[in-house]
Amino acid sequence: TYGVRPVDLAAAYAIFPRGGFYTEPYLIRRVEIDGRTVFRRRPKSTRVLSTRTCNEITTSLREVVRVGTASSYGGKQLAESVPVAGKTGTSDEVCDAWFVGYSSTVTTVVWIGFSEGNRTILEGETGGSLAFPVWKGIMENLPDEYDFEELPELNSDGKTLAFRG
């Protein structure tokens, strides 16, 4: 991810829960004055991947949280209660640690590092041990408007299974 901004990484991963549609990230969704909406963003979406490909990727990334590199840092417990998926990352010498993950309604990136990019954060740590717990805390404290709907999951035959949370 050298040279990739967290917002661009979030936009790329947001394609998966959207079933293959890319939407350019934006900062302001809506502006209200005295309870009246005076501005609402109407983003355009473009299909960039097939729904099937997104479902396959989501199936794999759910395993990262359940039994993979995030599982021992609270991922296993989180995955038992809410459908989430994501990926840990750690650069050489632990100069960067990150986790990018999503639910059906929100995609979030947590990056931990130094702006110079060449200093070790903490010896022996990883994106799973540093960034994932921060991400997990964010996801567990989202406002109620961010409902967790089912994420697609494929079995070994390639057929979609329902979320079993």
Side-chain angles (χ1 to χ4, degrees), residues 27-101:
L27 183 61
I28 298 172
R29 176 175 56 178
R30 180 176 62 230
V31 176
E32 292 183 3
I33 298 175
D34 296 327
R36 187 173 54 91
T37 301
V38 296
F39 171 81
R40 181 182 305 271
R41 171 84 53 193
R42 304 245 188 253
K44 292 182 183 177
S45 295
T46 305
R47 178 169 289 284
V48 295
L49 289 174
S50 72
T51 301
R52 169 92 180 160
T53 298
C54 292
N55 292 350
E56 291 170 349
I57 292 168
T58 293
T59 298
S60 296
L61 295 180
R62 290 185 76 180
E63 292 301 297
V64 170
V65 179
R66 281 189 240 192
V67 296
T69 53
S71 65
S72 60
Y73 302 102
K76 182 177 181 189
Q77 294 81 4
L78 181 65
E80 289 173 357
S81 61
V82 293
V84 293
K87 181 69 182 94
T88 61
T90 311
S91 65
D92 293 340
E93 308 298 323
V94 195
C95 295
D96 297 283
W98 56 271
F99 186 84
V100 57

Side-chain angles (χ1 to χ4, degrees), residues 142-160:
L142 286 172
D144 290 338
E145 68 187 80
Y146 294 101
D147 292 332
F148 292 99
E149 297 174 10
E150 295 181 14
L151 284 174
E153 185 170 10
L154 303 178
N155 63 19
S156 60
D157 297 334
K159 295 183 178 165
T160 302

Side-chain angles (χ1 to χ4, degrees), residues 95-96 111 113-119:
C95 295
D96 297 283
W111 169 77
F114 296 100
S115 58
E116 312 84 64
N118 59 358
R119 292 175 42 196

Side-chain angles (χ1 to χ4, degrees), residues 101-125:
Y102 55 92
S103 71
S104 57
T105 55
V106 65
T107 301
T108 307
V109 174
V110 172
W111 169 77
I112 299 173
F114 296 100
S115 58
E116 312 84 64
N118 59 358
R119 292 175 42 196
T120 297
I121 303 166
L122 290 169
E123 274 305 317
E125 298 297 327

